[in-house]
Amino acid sequence: MTFPSLLVSPQWLSEHLADPQIVIIDCRFSLANPEQGTEEYQAGHIPGAFYLHLNEDLSSPVHTHGGRHPLPDAEEFAAKLAQLGVKSGETLVVAYDNSRMAFASRCWWLLRYLGHEQVAILDGGWKSWQEAGYPVSQEPGVAKQSGEFTPEIQSDWVVDCEAIKRLGERPDVILVDSRAYDRYIGKTEPIDPIAGHIPGAVNHPWQEVTTESGATQPMNDRQTRWQAYPDDAEFWVYCGSGVTACVNLFSLALAGRPQEKLYVGSWSDWCSYPEHPIATEFPNS
């Protein structure tokens, strides 16, 4: 069968729930309450879906540097995917959440980073599924087939703080801060110990990729979001900890730029080094 690209509608997914070549992953999560997503999954989820936890499955343990959500170990994550019935290069993985793609996009990006292109996000997420009246289950997901996942890491899709520090030598790179504007300008910082942004970064809040209901913006908005930049520009994207930046990476993929780079450690890594410069900007300053 022909799989959809990048986005899956609730109707399409409802018509293919029994397909053994489709694996659904529930990525609901709350930074304020890390167990909320697990509880929501247990209370009800898309039939057949598995749950992956941001901290326990989609990230590795936190250290002094490297940010609040380092990438998971590739082999361990590949083993988890195989347990869910994912076959490298064959299975379509559909991820969803209830946070405007904040966590589903992390799952989407991770699979592609490990070489698996057959991955999409449910447009509108859990809310759109419920509002459409499609079935809900409390039964844990069961693999429809045996899986086999061999990671093929796209190492050139990530950058670290050392590469960021050398950006003055790369006028062709656009550094994108994906956080809310008030965090970008240093007016507020609810999570990390220092407010501000990396000098030279431009601000494109990740929330602008979707509507308030969680659906992707109309096609013309998708196409114009990045048009102000040269066609040959390279985008390096960061957020607070390398999670919601993936929403902007998804937006770039929708705009035909599928291989831009993620600063995994993001602001939580950058501000962990006292010697790194910090920029703060206020309107009319």
Side-chain angles (χ1 to χ4, degrees):
M1 65 179 294
T2 301
F3 290 144
S5 175
L6 297 178
L7 281 170
V8 167
S9 70
Q11 178 180 346
W12 188 93
L13 186 58
S14 71
E15 295 170 352
H16 294 84
L17 285 179
D19 193 315
Q21 287 294 336
I22 295 177
V23 169
I24 306 170
I25 297 180
D26 186 320
C27 301
R28 285 177 286 176
F29 188 79
S30 168
L31 292 173
N33 178 8
E35 296 314 309
Q36 181 174 317
T38 303
E39 294 167 359
E40 290 175 340
Y41 172 79
Q42 293 170 345
H45 52 264
I46 295 176
F50 299 92
Y51 183 72
L52 290 184
H53 191 282
L54 174 64
N55 292 347
E56 298 171 7
D57 300 307
L58 304 179
S59 307
S60 62
V62 178
H63 299 285
T64 303
H65 301 296
R68 286 182 280 106
H69 291 104
L71 297 184
D73 177 84
E75 294 296 336
E76 291 181 5
F77 188 59
K80 290 178 183 178
L81 293 172
Q83 290 174 359
L84 307 187
V86 179
K87 291 185 177 180
S88 298
E90 296 182 21
T91 306
L92 173 66
V93 176
V94 178
Y96 73 91
D97 61 28
N98 59 351
S99 303
R100 300 175 68 171
M101 301 184 180
F103 309 111
S105 64
R106 167 78 167 212
C107 183
W108 167 84
W109 184 87
L110 269 175
L111 268 85
R112 295 181 64 252
Y113 170 68
L114 295 182
H116 189 79
E117 293 287 339
Q118 291 76 15
V119 55
I121 294 178
L122 177 64
D123 200 4
W126 173 243
K127 182 178 181 180
S128 69
W129 182 267
Q130 284 187 303
E131 290 181 345
Y134 292 125
V136 172
S137 174
Q138 294 180 328
E139 296 297 322
V142 177
K144 303 170 189 173
Q145 61 180 0
S146 58
E148 183 178 353
F149 195 96
T150 303
E152 296 179 4
I153 298 174
Q154 312 299 304
S155 57
D156 59 340
W157 286 18
V158 298
V159 293
D160 59 15
C161 65
E162 294 302 316
I164 298 292
K165 288 192 291 186
R166 296 192 298 270
L167 268 184
E169 307 166 10
R170 295 286 307 274
D172 59 317
V173 173
I174 309 298
L175 182 62
V176 177
D177 186 316
S178 304
R179 298 171 301 162
Y181 180 68
D182 281 355
R183 291 183 71 188
Y184 168 75
I185 64 174
K187 184 177 182 180
T188 183
E189 180 47 65
I191 303 175
D192 293 305
I194 300 175
H197 63 266
I198 300 174
V202 297
N203 185 223
H204 285 284
W206 65 272
Q207 295 96 330
E208 296 176 354
V209 175
T210 58
T211 65
E212 290 187 4
S213 67
T216 52
Q217 295 285 3
M219 180 65 73
N220 59 330
D221 288 352
R222 301 182 205 169
Q223 294 173 339
T224 59
R225 181 172 171 79
W226 308 104
Q227 282 184 351
Y229 301 101
D231 291 340
D232 59 350
E234 186 174 293
F235 291 89
W236 294 8
V237 187
Y238 77 92
C239 56
S241 62
V243 177
T244 54
C246 295
V247 182
N248 264 335
L249 290 169
F250 186 73
S251 174
L252 283 160
L254 288 174
R257 297 175 178 265
Q259 297 179 3
E260 305 299 346
K261 302 183 189 302
L262 173 67
Y263 174 19
V264 178
S266 286
W267 181 249
S268 57
D269 175 57
W270 184 264
C271 73
S272 71
Y273 294 89
E275 68 272 19
H276 285 176
I278 305 295
T280 55
E281 299 172 5
F282 291 87
N284 303 317
S285 62

